[in-house]
DNA sequence: TGAACCTTGACACATCCGTGCTAAGGTTGC
DNA sequence: GCAACCTTAGCACGGATGTGTCAAGGTTCA
């Protein structure tokens, strides 16, 4: 077999076999399978597993955070909606009447969030 | 008072007063305060509250997801690290020896994740 | 063929997230 | 000055996350 089995991969990456399966279930690491269904962890998977661990530890975030980042990369509409929400500055720009600015913001959000989007 | 009080804002946005305070505690909505410490919800805050509700419902995500998106916007290093992790494609590009590619990836990750970053 | 691995599925548990409620105390406004 | 609002702080609780462990069964290989 070209690649490690799940227990071997667990051994060298520091994840538990259980977590390796969990990571697959949430779509973060998807190792290929042998014909009989065994997971095969190649160098790329091992490297990604190690760096994922570092990422979580260094920035103290959870798997669901990374999973959401993945959703944003894959769903352009979601990314747009989130970006737009943040770009609605808490204070209107200078030189624009507050009412006009608010109306413009409302339209912008409706464009991106509305059912017909 | 120019702006609604927390209960009035709750009334018109559909959030509960409790959640308005919670949203502030996680940094998603930060209404200004009166001299005595009362929150003032102006048109911008109200609009953001409504669109936030839409956003969560339409894409079925949680506040912690949006909070993480905020972290990524504000912490360039975090954003870089996450992007880099995703860009480590599960399969090396064609025409590059697997070992070379892996070494290159390792270096890239060390650049972005290493303590000296 | 039998030991040692793999698979999926499920139960269990700690922790966090989202949310409501209550308590103790300050502010506002008639 | 009192009713009706605001503040923070805290308890509580259901649901989701992250993780271990066990069970029942298929695969590998000496």
């Amino acid at each position: 077999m070209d690649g490690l089995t799940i227990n071997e991969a667990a051994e060298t990456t520091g994840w538990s076999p259980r977590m390796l399966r969990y990571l697959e279930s949430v779509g973060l690491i998807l190792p290929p399978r042998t014909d009989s269904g065994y997971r095969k962890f190649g160098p790329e998977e091992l490297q990604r597993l190690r760096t994922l661990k570092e990422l979580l530890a260094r920035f103290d975030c959870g798997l669901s955070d990374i999973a959401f980042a993945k959703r944003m990369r894959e769903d352009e509409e979601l990314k747009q909606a989130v970006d737009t929400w943040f770009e609605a500055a808490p204070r209107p720009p200078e030189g624009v009447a507050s009412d006009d600015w608010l109306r413009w913001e409302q339209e912008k959000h409706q464009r991106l969030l509305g059912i017909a989007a």
Side-chain angles (χ1 to χ4, degrees), chain A residues 33-107:
Chain A
R33 304 291 189 112
T34 68
D35 288 346
S36 61
Y38 284 23
R39 291 171 183 82
K40 289 186 296 187
F41 292 84
E44 315 88 13
E45 280 82 21
L46 299 175
Q47 184 58 20
R48 273 167 79 73
L49 285 169
R50 294 194 196 97
T51 53
L52 177 58
K53 216 178 195 357
E54 279 179 58
L55 182 60
L56 298 181
R58 195 152 98 81
F59 296 96
D60 185 35
C61 51
L63 296 173
S64 52
D65 293 328
I66 308 300
F68 187 70
K70 184 176 191 237
R71 270 189 77 186
M72 281 199 292
R73 307 187 115 240
E74 290 168 353
D75 185 342
E76 182 59 28
E77 212 170 319
L78 170 58
K79 176 171 168 31
Q80 278 297 315
V82 172
D83 282 351
T84 301
W85 188 79
F86 279 111
E87 278 153 24
R91 292 286 141 207
E94 298 296 324
V96 177
S98 180
D99 284 358
D100 289 353
W101 177 81
L102 179 56
R103 195 166 326 108
W104 180 78
E105 280 299 323
Q106 284 175 342
E107 283 160 10

Side-chain angles (χ1 to χ4, degrees), chain A residues 104-117:
Chain A
W104 180 78
E105 280 299 323
Q106 284 175 342
E107 283 160 10
K108 182 170 74 172
H109 276 99
Q110 269 157 21
R111 277 201 306 279
L112 285 158
L113 285 170
I115 33 174

